[in-house]
Amino acid sequence: MDVGELLNYQPDRGAKRIRDEEGGGEEARGGKQLKGARDLARHREAALGPGDDPDQEDTSEDRKRILEKLMDSEEEPEGEPVDESSVKKMILTFEKRSYKNQELRIKFPDNPEKFMEAELDLNDIIQEMHVVATMPELYHLLVELNAVHSLLGLLSHENTDILHYGPPLPPTQSDRPGVYLRSDLNGAPHIAIAVVDLLQELTDIDTLQESEEGAEVLIDALLEGQVVALLVQNMERLDEQVKEEADGVYNTLAIVENMAEFRPGLCTEAAQQGLMQWLLKRVKAKLPFEANKLYCSEILAIVLQNNDSTRELLGEMDGIDVLLQQLSVFKRHNPSTAEEQEMMENLFDSLCSCLMLSANRDRFLKGEGLQLMNLMLSR
């Protein structure tokens, strides 16, 4: 490719996104193209002498100068590298902001405006800490510097249930990217959900497998802090009618799945810390079918797999009746979607796992489970 072709080269911008956010996609692209044309014209004028004819064909030397200037203008400064020192600094900042937020909340419990800025600052540093998930070998710093304990403490952060003083306000986006404001706190970000998002990324199974040593340290610290019990308590107070909070429930279930896949033995402890009770209650809730209900059925099947302790616990909580009630919906009609069929399969997997215990088989027969199976087969 010669210099002339380089100057006229237009990079492939890829396929057009299905949905341009806020309807400004085309204008933004057009603006970038115009800006590029103006920059190119300026560089051409700079390369030409004051007495040169702009329409005259560029010399090889002029074109080289133009290319050099274009390449220099496209260079971007590199961000701060992520290493042990930067992670320590980040954790220290997080601890300071968390303490300041707690202090202001105690000092001004009835005046959210006094701690609003501290709330936003705390949310910002939590978002910045997502970068730690790219380096699982540094997870030990989160434990050694007490960040895991502090994050778990924020799962019960007050801004999920504090009362709003004044007329109800719709959820809005703040002037900080990615920060959505809570209407019940007159605009506070959802700190507990921000922590859930961070923990979900830190425990991503692919990330955990990159550094088994770092993963073991993190999972040990989370279990020592009774992470499942805290996650369940947080889910209890979330309103799934609000999209942000529904996403928080989904990411919470993802944390449980990640940890269970990395360390299957924790399912017994998780079930005993309230997860089993919450899953059964959520599965039988009379809500329209959606992603969270499907995910709950999947987590339930995972928790019961190859685990007699969790199977026994489900039986003691009348879980056999819950499973039969949910499956009875399909005795009159087949699942209408692939997702609904997947949920039905998860419920059958859970039921089959539980029937490995004789006590659950008795409960199954008393609950007329055999008759239900016959009705479903005869359709």
Side-chain angles (χ1 to χ4, degrees), residues 235 238 240 244-254 278 292:
M235 287 193 295
L238 295 180
E240 293 187 60
E244 181 193 17
E245 300 190 22
D247 291 343
V249 171
Y250 190 92
N251 288 332
T252 299
L253 296 174
W278 187 89
N292 282 356

Side-chain angles (χ1 to χ4, degrees), residues 26-238:
E26 292 297 335
E27 293 182 5
R29 282 194 291 273
K32 288 181 181 178
Q33 291 173 357
L34 290 174
K35 183 178 183 298
R38 289 195 298 269
D39 290 343
L40 183 57
R42 274 202 308 272
H43 287 309
R44 286 182 180 274
E45 291 174 5
L48 293 171
D52 292 335
D53 184 0
D55 296 330
Q56 185 179 358
E57 184 178 358
D58 294 323
T59 65
S60 177
E61 186 177 352
D62 290 337
R63 293 188 178 188
K64 287 180 180 179
R65 284 205 302 270
I66 294 172
L67 285 175
E68 288 175 0
K69 291 181 180 181
L70 286 173
M71 293 175 66
D72 291 341
S73 65
E74 290 177 358
E75 291 182 359
E76 296 180 358
E78 296 183 0
E80 183 180 353
V82 181
D83 53 20
E84 186 169 332
S85 176
S86 63
V87 171
K88 286 182 177 179
K89 181 180 178 182
M90 191 180 301
I91 293 174
L92 179 60
T93 302
F94 163 71
E95 293 290 349
K96 288 181 178 178
R97 293 184 183 181
S98 178
Y99 177 78
K100 180 180 179 181
N101 178 254
Q102 182 180 13
E103 187 179 37
L104 290 175
R105 278 184 164 275
I106 294 173
K107 190 174 181 180
F108 306 103
D110 299 330
N111 192 352
E113 292 182 359
K114 295 289 186 180
F115 52 78
M116 177 66 64
E117 190 65 27
E119 205 104 311
L120 291 168
D121 290 339
L122 177 57
N123 182 81
D124 287 346
I125 191 62
I126 292 174
Q127 300 305 321
E128 290 178 26
M129 290 175 69
H130 280 254
V131 74
V132 182
T134 64
M135 303 190 70
E137 64 273 15
L138 297 181
Y139 279 3
H140 66 95
L141 295 176
L142 295 172
V143 179
E144 294 168 4
L145 300 179
N146 210 38
V148 171
H149 180 269
S150 298
L151 287 169
L152 293 179
L154 289 176
L155 285 175
S156 56
H157 195 268
E158 294 89 340
N159 74 356
T160 56
D161 56 1
I162 192 168
L163 294 177
H164 164 61
Y165 297 92
L169 301 173
T172 57
Q173 187 170 12
S174 72
D175 57 353
R176 305 192 186 193
V179 179
Y180 286 84
L181 304 179
R182 286 278 297 169
S183 60
D184 62 352
L185 214 154
N186 212 6
H190 219 323
I191 298 299
I193 289 181
V195 172
V196 167
D197 292 345
L198 175 59
L199 291 178
Q200 190 274 331
E201 193 166 347
L202 290 173
T203 59
D204 181 84
I205 189 62
D206 294 330
T207 302
L208 293 180
Q209 291 173 348
E210 290 179 13
S211 174
E212 187 171 347
E213 183 178 353
E216 291 285 355
V217 171
L218 176 65
I219 298 299
D220 286 342
L222 290 173
L223 293 178
E224 184 179 347
Q226 296 191 324
V227 61
V228 177
L230 293 172
L231 289 172
V232 170
Q233 291 172 15
N234 186 50
M235 287 193 295
E236 290 279 5
R237 56 183 186 163
L238 295 180

